[in-house]
Amino acid sequence: MDLLRQSWQYILDNPDRFADAVSVHLRLSAFSLAAAIVIFFPLGVLAARSPKTAPTILGVVAAARVVPSLAVLFLLLPWLGLGVRPAFVALTLLAGPPIVINTDAGLRGVDPAALESGRGLGMTPAQLFWRVQVPLALPIIVAGVRSAAVEVIGSATLAAFIGAGGLGQFITSGLTLLDNRLLLVGAAPVALLALLVEGSLNVVERRVTPPGLALSRGA
Amino acid sequence: MNLDYLFRHPERVLDLTGEHLILSALAMFFAVLLAIPLGAAAARWRRLTLPILGLLGAIYTVPSLAFLAFMIPTLGIGRTPALIALAAYAQIFLVRNLVAGLRGVDAATLEAARGQGMTGWQVFRDVRWPLALPVAIAGVRTAFVSTIGLASVAAWINAGGLGTLLFEGITRDDPSRILTGAVAITALALLADALLRLAERNTAIARARRAA
């Protein structure tokens, strides 16, 4: 408890440094996640729609998932050097697999009867996709984004090792300088942040679940 | 970027691979010991299911570096805190699958077993457990692959293993070490995945299902 108070005092004494680290951490995570959604959602759609490319896409994604986050962050060193840029690229790649896998699974899992009814109503393929398939698949897609977000926040902490700053910076300095206060100045906020994001995306997931779907799942 | 380091120091890479495997396997061993009672309790008492799975999910959500950092003030650095962290992270995969496996057994099957005069323990040992085993092993597989990856971070607190090569590569600006470490960890994870897939397919129930 005493240590926690000391860490809090450190934050009060160095408000700019702390705010800067939080801001870097948040921006790095948010931009990476946004980039990953833009790139990997279409890939998931492609996998769900084309039986020919699906095994390749899902196979590559499954294999990529096995490479540890720390290795992905470090492997870009020869090309992108150290700093925020390689961290952004690595985090975007790390966020990919859950988005692709869940988008594919969500879209594939849509009841064919729902699609049939849509077609029967005279919907165009685009309407069918955006008004029937995506809404029905959305809870599972959001669950994928949730896993991706948690992965990104955690790996953004590791990005301190490649000089990207963020809250991980306090943790790594804490060990190097043998300063337990610093360890907690980094660890406590980043743990809270991860739990907060996970919790709020859980709520989003429940909110976007269509009422009919929630009923049939609850039963 | 190349694998020079692997060819110049194969014996060191092998040593670190051994360390990595032992650390991960030991963590899995303790993790399974803890997960069996947790999973059994969560499957048996519905009121415990959500709190247990929620707590384990929350633990998994905490970034690995933060988790290790939390332990340093009390447990210091080295193998012990690394083992604790790895075993804690594995719980969600192990317990979730154990619960799914134990709960997933068809009620009619259990009824039939009871109808044959089996005792509660016999029903568990001879019916429920064998039927749940493939799902439980699938949990061990996911957990083990994840543990092997996470164990690379443990090198930061001097727990050894292949993560050592990753950190050396960064501090000495030696990409060859990074690639060697990354390839070795990935290979180890793929190997563990393949072996446990084999175990999954060789459970009594999986063989019986294929024969049927």
Side-chain angles (χ1 to χ4, degrees):
Chain A
M1 269 302 122
D2 207 37
L3 185 57
L4 215 56
R5 204 170 313 122
Q6 286 171 24
S7 301
W8 180 240
Q9 193 57 48
Y10 178 91
I11 296 176
L12 294 180
D13 293 344
N14 304 275
D16 293 343
R17 196 180 300 173
F18 182 74
D20 191 49
V22 172
S23 147
V24 167
H25 207 103
L26 286 177
R27 274 183 299 158
L28 183 58
S29 305
F31 287 139
S32 309
L33 187 64
I37 292 172
V38 170
I39 298 168
F40 293 104
F41 172 72
L43 209 59
V45 175
L46 186 67
R49 304 199 123 194
S50 128
K52 231 188 278 169
T53 55
T56 318
I57 295 176
L58 296 174
V60 170
V61 164
R65 205 173 204 187
V66 179
V67 185
S69 320
L70 195 64
V72 174
L73 277 160
F74 287 12
L75 280 170
L76 296 168
L77 175 79
W79 295 285
L80 299 173
L82 298 171
V84 176
R85 227 159 39 106
F88 169 71
V89 176
L91 295 183
T92 305
L93 291 174
L94 285 167
I99 296 177
V100 174
I101 292 169
N102 280 42
T103 303
D104 170 71
L107 291 174
R108 256 177 226 277
V110 171
D111 187 0
L115 292 178
E116 199 48 52
S117 329
R119 251 177 244 123
L121 287 169
M123 282 181 160
T124 64
Q127 285 175 326
L128 211 56
F129 180 71
W130 289 111
R131 295 200 191 164
V132 181
Q133 270 188 300
V134 169
L136 287 173
L138 206 53
I140 296 174
I141 297 173
V142 171
V145 171
R146 173 163 51 86
S147 308
V150 169
E151 168 71 45
V152 162
I153 291 168
S155 300
T157 320
L158 297 173
F161 289 123
I162 59 166
L167 287 161
Q169 188 81 64
F170 292 116
I171 302 178
T172 56
S173 323
L175 185 64
T176 320
L177 305 172
L178 301 173
D179 184 344
N180 286 341
R181 279 179 321 164
L182 280 182
L183 287 172
L184 292 197
V185 168
V190 93
L192 278 178
L193 179 65
L195 289 169
L196 208 70
V197 167
E198 156 116 344
S200 21
L201 283 169
N202 255 325
V203 173
V204 172
E205 191 183 327
R206 240 170 290 143
R207 286 265 170 87
V208 300
T209 304
L213 218 55
L215 259 178
S216 63
R217 271 186 202 158
Chain B
M1 191 171 239
N2 53 53
L3 283 171
D4 262 4
Y5 189 82
L6 174 62
F7 300 121
R8 274 187 285 121
H9 304 281
E11 64 303 316
R12 177 146 194 262
V13 176
L14 203 64
D15 278 355
L16 290 173
T17 308
E19 254 177 51
H20 201 97
L21 187 61
I22 290 172
L23 181 69
S24 312
L26 215 54
M28 277 310 290
F29 174 74
F30 290 124
V32 169
L33 280 190
L34 182 63
I36 290 176
L38 269 180
R44 177 81 178 70
W45 292 291
R46 276 183 189 276
R47 217 183 301 163
L48 291 181
T49 316
L50 271 182
I52 289 180
L53 289 180
L55 177 70
L56 299 180
I59 289 175
Y60 187 77
T61 302
V62 174
S64 50
L65 201 63
F67 200 114
L68 294 173
F70 281 130
M71 288 191 295
I72 293 174
T74 43
L75 296 169
I77 59 173
R79 287 231 175 117
T80 311
L83 281 174
I84 294 175
L86 293 175
Y89 276 118
Q91 291 307 308
I92 183 67
F93 300 110
L94 298 174
V95 173
R96 191 169 54 195
N97 275 45
L98 200 54
V99 170
L102 291 172
R103 284 265 178 83
V105 177
D106 187 12
T109 310
L110 295 174
E111 195 51 47
R114 269 184 227 112
Q116 287 184 340
M118 285 174 127
T119 63
W121 169 244
Q122 282 174 328
V123 172
F124 183 82
R125 190 192 59 192
D126 298 332
V127 181
R128 204 190 267 275
W129 178 248
L131 283 169
L133 198 57
V135 186
I137 294 179
V140 173
R141 178 165 58 80
T142 322
F144 202 16
V145 170
S146 148
T147 299
I148 290 172
L150 278 168
S152 46
V153 183
W156 176 62
I157 54 165
N158 289 350
L162 289 162
T164 311
L165 289 180
L166 298 180
F167 286 109
E168 284 176 1
I170 285 287
T171 49
R172 301 179 193 193
D173 197 12
D174 179 1
S176 178
R177 286 185 207 231
I178 299 178
L179 188 64
T180 300
V183 167
I185 298 166
T186 308
L188 205 56
L190 290 174
L191 192 72
D193 186 67
L195 284 177
L196 283 164
R197 258 180 219 280
L198 210 66
E200 226 170 295
R201 244 174 268 157
N202 270 298
T203 52
I205 187 68
R207 269 182 279 134
R209 273 183 193 145
R210 270 202 305 278

